[in-house]
Amino acid sequence: MAVTEEGFPARKRRPSAGAFVSPSFSDKKLLQSLFLLSQEISSLPPLRILLKKSSSSITRKSTLLSIFFEELLRNPVNIFPPSAALCFEELYIVLQRIKILLEDCSSCSNMWLLMQTPSISNSFHQLTGELSTLLDIFPGKELNLNEDVEELLNLIKKQCLEKASDLDSKDENLRVQVLKMLDDIKREIVPDSSKLSEIFDRLNLHDSTSCSTEIENLEDEVQNQSDDKTKSDIVALIGLVRYAKCVLYGASTPRTTSRRRKSAADVNFPADFRCPISLDLMRDPVVVSTGQTYDRSSISLWIESGHNTCPKTGQTLVHSLLIPNLALKNLIAMWCRDQKIPFESTETNVKSNGIVLNKTALEATKMTVTFLLNKLTASQSPEALNRMVHELRILAKTDSDSRACIAEAGALPLLVNILGSDHPNLQVNAVTTILNLSILEANKTRIMEIDGVLNGIIEVLRSGVTWEAKGNAAATIFSLTGVHAHRKRLGRKTRVVKGLLDLAREGPTNTKIDAMVAILNLAGDREAVGKLIEGGVVDMVAEVMDSLPEEAVTILEVVVKRGGLAAIAAAHHRNMMKKLATILRDGSDRAKESAAATIVNICRKGGSEMVSELASIAGIERVVWEIMGMGSGRAKRKAGTLMRILRRWAGGQIEDHVNIGQSMTMTMNSTRIVLPG
């Protein structure tokens, strides 16, 4: 079968720190704690779907124990006999374990709980046995219990000695049915809809919302497991639930209310935690030879695509070693815990030597994709189409296999037909689905080659219904530029360049950043830089430098390095050096690096006139000195070069130092420029 009972080991518990430690209480306080703890267990909501007999049985015993402890509190004893105190301590530990088990069962996925019913039922049986043992040795006579209390104690003992209920036959039959269905899916047998409906009705998964919540709970289980095989089996269950949600309930629309479980996309995370390539929260930050930090998956894909430069700085990578940034990773993990965001990657359906580890999950994905694409080909209302496309969007975000399945099944031409929709949510979901698909290298080529796909993305970039749609179109362009040949082709397209520049000027902050990152990638190609300069990239940088200094100065650095100095030297950009000097003084570490590198290139290529303008800025030498002493490694090196340039200029030796790359005649204002306070 696809998944065996052995494939689902006992669930990894999350007990409190003191759950299995004997409490250091006084005798009276210990008894009060036992009373309160047994009351808490009694008040827990019963399990209504699975394990009803086992959970209700142990809850009833806890209720009787709470009455027993209450009676003991009414007749306080200053000091318990040692044997009684020891029993109370052990009872406290057992009751804590009972409470944790019940809470765990109440909060977890129903599907995962079903797979665990044999082991959890056994846990209830073991805990009942431990209660029975402790009550058997309890020294009631030494405490001089009155007749009523002793009778109550005997009643609890009797109940604990009763034969424990066997595993509920209905639960076991349902579990076998699910295992059989998983096995059928593995063998490419499409589940019977009526049987699927019956199973999901039994598990109280009766609409798309409850299925979405179930998927979130299963994703939590993936986070909670350390064994790759178990994670992979849970992914198979996720595949089954996602398929059933689409087939039985017609997929779902995005939720407008807050979710119980947040993702990184739901919150604004610190800029330093964001990968400069993907713009996503970094899960595995690594440092390249230039000192810049990227997410491992993004920079690895960049290097594997044939690049030998640092995406952010444009510098040549002297080696391809990726050094883990453990300090940053720990900071990100702490922040994620505070924000209640899962930190570890949930992409568990990984491959080893090209072999899929979980065929069941893959086949479930294929069935889901087939169902959704069949629905897309039928004539439907925009609302119905939106539900299907939204489901594809979610699926395209999960893992590489899903992205491959969607593209191979022919989704891209269908999505192109939807890109021109004037339904805002539908257009956003369509372009975002293509963005998610583009993460896979093979899909980048499909997007570039399949008729109409690229043009559709460009049209959304230029005239999308919402800023979100335009921003995700820009992010798609950025993703496509990860392949050198695609970057050259996109950089030649005037519509792409103009669309990105307009978006960088006019959009809201997040959309501006999407456009600027795509522009930065295009600037990696010298021919594309020419197009960007013609389109007004320097004007754009000047406009946004105050609001997005780090992104703006990084683009300017690459543009200057690849021949854009003439545009900066134009009369209306005489203040550019002043803006760069302000960033050099007040910007972030990364912005200071790029500003220093840009000024060095301007001075080297622009000649003495540019150096003169830099030197005329009041306090510039002090700013450069500060960076030389406190900046990052690269910033210190660039600042050192700047200081040498300034000193040689002051000594009238600038021609000996500056390599003038081209002859330029510029009339510069000789008035000293003072940096604003």
Side-chain angles (χ1 to χ4, degrees), residues 260-276:
R260 173 191 57 78
R261 175 178 175 271
K262 293 190 290 185
S263 69
D266 298 322
V267 294
N268 292 321
F269 47 86
D272 287 342
F273 293 176
R274 183 175 63 216
C275 175

Side-chain angles (χ1 to χ4, degrees), residues 86-104:
L86 181 60
C87 276
F88 284 144
E89 289 176 1
E90 294 299 321
L91 279 169
Y92 183 87
I93 294 173
V94 173
L95 289 175
Q96 278 279 27
R97 290 165 59 197
I98 291 171
K99 178 188 172 187
I100 290 165
L101 180 59
L102 288 169
E103 288 176 341
D104 223 20

Side-chain angles (χ1 to χ4, degrees), residues 261-309:
R261 175 178 175 271
K262 293 190 290 185
S263 69
D266 298 322
V267 294
N268 292 321
F269 47 86
D272 287 342
F273 293 176
R274 183 175 63 216
C275 175
I277 296 176
S278 68
L279 299 183
D280 288 333
L281 188 71
M282 288 188 281
R283 307 288 177 166
D284 187 9
V286 294
V287 180
V288 298
S289 63
T290 60
Q292 300 295 326
T293 297
Y294 302 93
D295 201 24
R296 183 184 294 275
S297 59
S298 297
I299 191 63
S300 295
L301 185 59
W302 172 266
I303 294 171
E304 289 167 5
S305 299
H307 298 93
N308 65 345
T309 58

Side-chain angles (χ1 to χ4, degrees), residues 317-581:
L317 297 173
V318 297
H319 60 74
S320 59
L321 294 178
L322 304 178
I323 303 168
N325 191 336
L326 298 179
L328 180 59
K329 185 174 183 178
N330 289 335
L331 287 174
I332 296 173
M334 291 169 62
W335 180 83
C336 285
R337 283 196 295 272
D338 291 341
Q339 297 293 325
K340 296 181 173 57
I341 294 173
F343 177 65
E344 297 298 333
S345 172
T346 58
E347 187 169 321
T348 59
N349 197 20
V350 295
K351 295 183 178 182
S352 175
N353 299 323
I355 301 173
V356 180
L357 294 180
N358 193 311
K359 190 173 187 297
T360 306
L362 178 61
E363 294 303 327
T365 297
K366 288 180 178 179
M367 292 175 187
T368 304
V369 170
T370 299
F371 174 84
L372 291 171
L373 295 187
N374 286 340
K375 287 290 185 181
L376 284 182
T377 58
S379 177
Q380 298 187 66
S381 67
E383 290 74 18
L385 283 174
N386 189 42
R387 288 197 298 273
M388 300 302 158
V389 176
H390 175 251
E391 201 63 40
L392 282 173
R393 170 182 174 174
I394 295 172
L395 194 56
K397 190 178 180 180
T398 55
D399 55 53
S400 297
D401 283 332
S402 297
R403 290 187 273 275
C405 287
I406 294 170
E408 289 168 2
L412 285 169
L414 297 175
L415 291 169
V416 169
N417 296 332
I418 298 170
L419 285 178
S421 171
D422 58 2
H423 187 287
N425 290 339
L426 181 54
Q427 187 183 69
V428 167
N429 282 324
V431 72
T432 308
T433 302
I434 296 175
L435 168 60
N436 292 340
L437 291 175
S438 73
I439 297 171
L440 187 66
E441 194 75 7
N443 286 346
K444 287 179 171 61
T445 301
R446 290 188 175 102
I447 292 168
M448 295 294 292
E449 292 181 352
I450 293 177
D451 187 42
V453 181
L454 181 59
N455 283 335
I457 295 167
I458 296 172
E459 284 306 307
V460 175
L461 172 69
R462 300 187 64 192
S463 56
V465 180
T466 65
W467 288 117
E468 183 182 2
K470 291 181 178 182
N472 286 347
T476 306
I477 298 294
F478 164 77
S479 177
L480 295 173
T481 59
V483 177
H484 180 70
H486 302 340
R487 183 168 72 244
K488 291 184 74 67
R489 179 178 166 189
L490 290 166
R492 296 191 192 104
K493 291 184 176 292
T494 303
R495 290 190 304 152
V496 171
V497 171
K498 187 177 186 307
L500 291 173
L501 290 172
D502 289 346
L503 199 59
R505 288 188 183 98
E506 302 166 4
T509 299
N510 287 342
T511 304
K512 284 178 183 284
I513 292 173
D514 286 331
M516 293 178 77
V517 172
I519 290 168
L520 179 62
N521 242 19
L522 285 180
D525 179 72
R526 188 171 292 275
E527 185 177 344
V529 169
K531 283 282 188 181
L532 288 168
I533 292 172
E534 289 175 15
V537 67
V538 178
D539 290 337
M540 181 276 292
V541 166
E543 290 176 29
V544 304
M545 191 170 282
D546 291 337
S547 58
L548 293 170
E550 188 172 312
E551 289 80 2
V553 74
T554 304
I555 290 174
L556 190 63
E557 178 189 354
V558 178
V559 169
V560 170
K561 186 177 180 180
R562 287 173 170 77
L565 181 61
I568 295 174
H572 56 287
H573 287 309
R574 287 178 181 168
N575 285 334
M576 185 64 78
M577 192 70 84
K578 176 184 174 183
K579 287 177 176 287
L580 289 170

Side-chain angles (χ1 to χ4, degrees), residues 210-237:
S210 59
C211 286
S212 295
T213 302
E214 178 72 3
I215 290 171
E216 292 172 9
N217 287 334
L218 285 167
E219 288 172 346
D220 284 343
E221 292 298 338
V222 175
Q223 301 294 326
N224 194 42
Q225 298 292 335
S226 58
D227 177 66
D228 287 343
K229 174 63 168 60
T230 304
K231 288 183 177 183
S232 184
D233 287 339
I234 298 173
V235 171
L237 294 176

Side-chain angles (χ1 to χ4, degrees), residues 642-660:
L642 278 180
M643 185 58 70
R644 288 192 295 273
I645 290 174
L646 288 169
R647 291 294 169 83
R648 288 177 179 272
W649 177 85
Q653 302 173 0
I654 193 63
E655 290 79 11
D656 296 334
H657 176 75
V658 179
N659 176 23
I660 302 175

